[in-house]
Amino acid sequence: MRTTLWNAPANRRSLLRTAAALPVAALAGGAFEGTAAAATGTPGLPDFAPVPRAATGPALNDSGYFVGRIGGNLYWVTDRFYQAMFLSTRDGVVLVDAPPTIGHNLLRAIAEVTRANGRPAKVTHLVYSHSHADHTGASSIFGKDVVRIGHAECRRLLLRDGDPNRPAPTVTFEDRYTLQVGGERLELTYHGPNHSPDNIFIHAPEHKTLMVVDILYPGWVPFKNLAVSQDIPAWLRAQQIAMGYPWRTLVGGHLGRLGVRADGDLQLAYMADLEAATRASMNLDPAPYFDKCGSQGNAWAIFKTYLDAVAEQAAAPVAAKYTGVLAAADVFTLDHAATLVESFRIDAGLLGPFGTRP
């Protein structure tokens, strides 16, 4: 089994120092300039900034996956898009999540590890981080006998969805659950809704490892629209909750490498800059948008043009600051700003020109 030095803490510290040294206000013009030019020979497809080397993970094998040891009997698998984690115990394997893009490579990765350590290859327990199909959609390949574990809300959602690829968990909990199998332990905790109504924190204390999915993205900005999260204020709080755990290694559920503490600090810095820029941009003068679109009687056009302009003004300096520091800062920062604008309006009551009429 190939192992790779993935965590390079010196590189993480260097990235964090670089980001901190770049003032947002000084970069407030042309953040997207040159980052989305038309790709040569492929009309209509944009060209984005290169992915920083520190954001990439270990090389994949010929089957399209990488499996590596986190510590002791705890392992992780990635295909560069998604991640899963598993414990190899004397009584079988405890798997956390079954992303369909990894699919049957999960079985190959587990077989590779258990052939080497002489432990059983059978997956006896499957923990769902949450109900979303992109993280649990290969659950059915492990058959009917595996014990599936998730939050009570995860069960309700999966029973509602009726997806045969995602059988509902049969073991559920409300707040906390300790899973002990074959001399190994995972602590499962629900801290309330965040990315989804049922997303949980999976802590392996003996291995100083936390798996929490769609909350922190080591080396990258979050996925589109703040990870398409259903509760933005709670998603923002979940980042702080995650950093409150005593972990050394983070399994974030996405992309090609594991995380270290500096990765969490860097995302918090990115989000703080984006929140500050968005709040400031919500003072944008609304008059031109009301004048042009209001004269046409087009209420939705007023909202669209004004809110889009607020998001663009907020995103520009932040994208400029973090491009080259966090992968895809030029790809999704505008989407994140637009999501924050709506959350500030609806959740925080920052209504701007759409507030109470005097």
Side-chain angles (χ1 to χ4, degrees), residues 159-228:
L159 288 174
R160 177 202 68 183
D161 294 344
D163 181 358
N165 294 315
R166 293 177 289 155
T170 53
V171 175
T172 63
F173 65 98
E174 293 286 349
D175 298 314
R176 297 180 182 276
Y177 184 85
T178 298
L179 176 61
Q180 294 183 299
V181 179
E184 299 288 346
R185 174 169 65 110
L186 292 176
E187 298 289 347
L188 315 181
T189 307
Y190 180 65
H191 291 286
N194 45 72
H195 165 69
S196 68
D198 59 330
N199 203 23
I200 64 171
F201 290 62
I202 303 103
H203 187 212
E206 286 82 5
H207 306 291
K208 296 181 172 58
T209 296
L210 176 68
M211 181 170 178
V212 60
V213 175
D214 289 313
I215 301 295
L216 296 173
Y217 291 76
W220 295 70
V221 300
F223 183 66
K224 184 175 183 175
N225 299 119
L226 300 180
V228 291

Side-chain angles (χ1 to χ4, degrees), residues 194-283:
N194 45 72
H195 165 69
S196 68
D198 59 330
N199 203 23
I200 64 171
F201 290 62
I202 303 103
H203 187 212
E206 286 82 5
H207 306 291
K208 296 181 172 58
T209 296
L210 176 68
M211 181 170 178
V212 60
V213 175
D214 289 313
I215 301 295
L216 296 173
Y217 291 76
W220 295 70
V221 300
F223 183 66
K224 184 175 183 175
N225 299 119
L226 300 180
V228 291
S229 297
Q230 293 169 265
D231 187 332
I232 298 303
W235 181 82
L236 293 168
R237 287 193 298 271
Q239 297 171 70
Q240 301 286 351
I241 293 170
M243 293 303 290
Y245 276 78
W247 55 269
R248 181 176 59 204
T249 302
L250 178 82
V251 182
H254 275 284
L255 303 162
R257 72 165 175 83
L258 299 174
V260 294
R261 301 291 305 188
D263 290 313
D265 293 335
L266 184 54
Q267 181 169 317
L268 291 179
Y270 169 81
M271 288 307 307
D273 282 343
L274 189 58
E275 287 188 72
T278 303
R279 286 180 183 273
S281 295
M282 294 184 82
N283 294 321

